[in-house]
Amino acid sequence: MRAVFEVAKVIIDGENSFLCIGVPYKDAKKFCGEMKPKKYVAEIKEYREKRSLDANAYAWVLIGKLSGKLGISPEEVYRAAIRDVGDNYEVMPVRNDALERWKFIWSKHGIGWICEEIGASKLDGYTNVRNFYGSSAYDKAQMARLIDIIVQECKTQGIETMTPAELARLMGEWQ
C-alpha cells in the first residue's frame, strides 16, 4: 500500500504508541482486512512530485542537439547542466584513503551523479566532496531548472526549442 497524507497523530495505548496517518477509509480497511500474521515495514518520507518522462525525453533530445553543435559528448553536455541546477548536491568529508572508492560508488548511480573534490576538510585525513544528484532523483522544480538551463544553451547556440507555452505544458504533465 502506498499512501500520500498530510495529517498524522500519535495514539498511546498503555506501553504501545501508534502512528496514525490520514488516508482514505477504504484503503485503510482494505489493507487491514488483507494483512497476514507477519511483520511489515513502513517507510515514511516527504512527498515529492515526480517529473514527467516526456520532460526527461525532451531534455535528452536537446542534449543530443547541443552535443552535435558543440562537438562534445551528450554526457558532457548533461553533466555540465547538472552542475548548474542548484540545490542538487550534498557536501561531505570523505576519508582520503576511501576517496577514489567513494567516487566510484557514487558515480554508479548514473551519468549525472558527479563527485567533485572541493578541498581539504577541517577533519585531518579527509577531503570535502560535492556529491551531485543526477536528474533521476529530481523533483518538479529541479527538473524544470535543468530543462531551462538546457533550453537557454540551445537558444545561445541557435538551436530551435519548444515555445514557452509548450514547455509549460510539458512540465505540467506528471506520472
Side-chain angles (χ1 to χ4, degrees):
M1 175 181 166
R2 183 174 191 272
V4 176
F5 63 95
E6 295 182 44
V7 178
K9 66 180 179 178
V10 175
I11 297 176
I12 300 172
D13 182 15
E15 292 185 23
N16 293 315
S17 61
F18 298 89
L19 173 62
C20 299
I21 58 174
V23 298
Y25 175 74
K26 65 179 178 107
D27 294 340
K29 184 177 179 182
K30 181 179 182 210
F31 177 76
C32 290
E34 294 175 357
M35 279 183 69
K36 306 286 187 238
K38 59 182 179 180
K39 292 184 180 184
Y40 289 83
V41 173
E43 177 182 353
I44 297 176
K45 57 186 176 181
E46 185 177 342
Y47 174 79
R48 294 173 73 131
E49 288 189 65
K50 293 185 185 271
R51 60 190 171 82
S52 163
L53 289 179
D54 287 342
N56 190 53
Y58 182 60
W60 279 101
V61 165
L62 294 180
I63 287 168
K65 290 179 179 184
L66 278 169
S67 170
K69 178 83 175 199
L70 299 173
I72 60 177
S73 73
E75 290 78 13
E76 289 176 87
V77 173
Y78 173 66
R79 290 166 66 93
I82 290 290
R83 287 179 172 94
D84 291 336
V85 168
D87 188 31
N88 66 334
Y89 64 85
E90 305 288 338
V91 175
M92 61 183 277
V94 177
R95 232 180 39 231
N96 291 339
D97 64 342
L99 192 54
E100 292 309 311
R101 179 79 178 140
W102 174 253
K103 289 179 186 178
F104 174 77
I105 291 168
W106 186 263
S107 69
K108 285 296 185 188
H109 291 293
I111 299 166
W113 295 70
I114 307 163
C115 286
E116 291 180 342
E117 294 179 38
I118 56 174
S121 170
K122 65 181 177 183
L123 301 172
D124 191 37
Y126 285 74
T127 298
N128 284 327
V129 178
R130 184 181 298 128
N131 302 288
F132 288 91
Y133 297 99
S135 62
S136 61
Y138 285 6
D139 62 18
K140 182 178 180 178
Q142 290 168 319
M143 193 64 185
R145 287 195 307 271
L146 177 65
I147 289 176
D148 188 52
I149 289 163
I150 296 165
V151 165
Q152 291 309 315
E153 183 60 25
C154 283
K155 287 179 179 179
T156 299
Q157 298 299 325
I159 297 169
E160 189 175 331
T161 65
M162 289 182 175
T163 66
E166 291 169 322
L167 280 171
R169 180 200 53 78
L170 182 68
M171 292 308 300
E173 295 174 353
W174 300 104
Q175 297 174 315

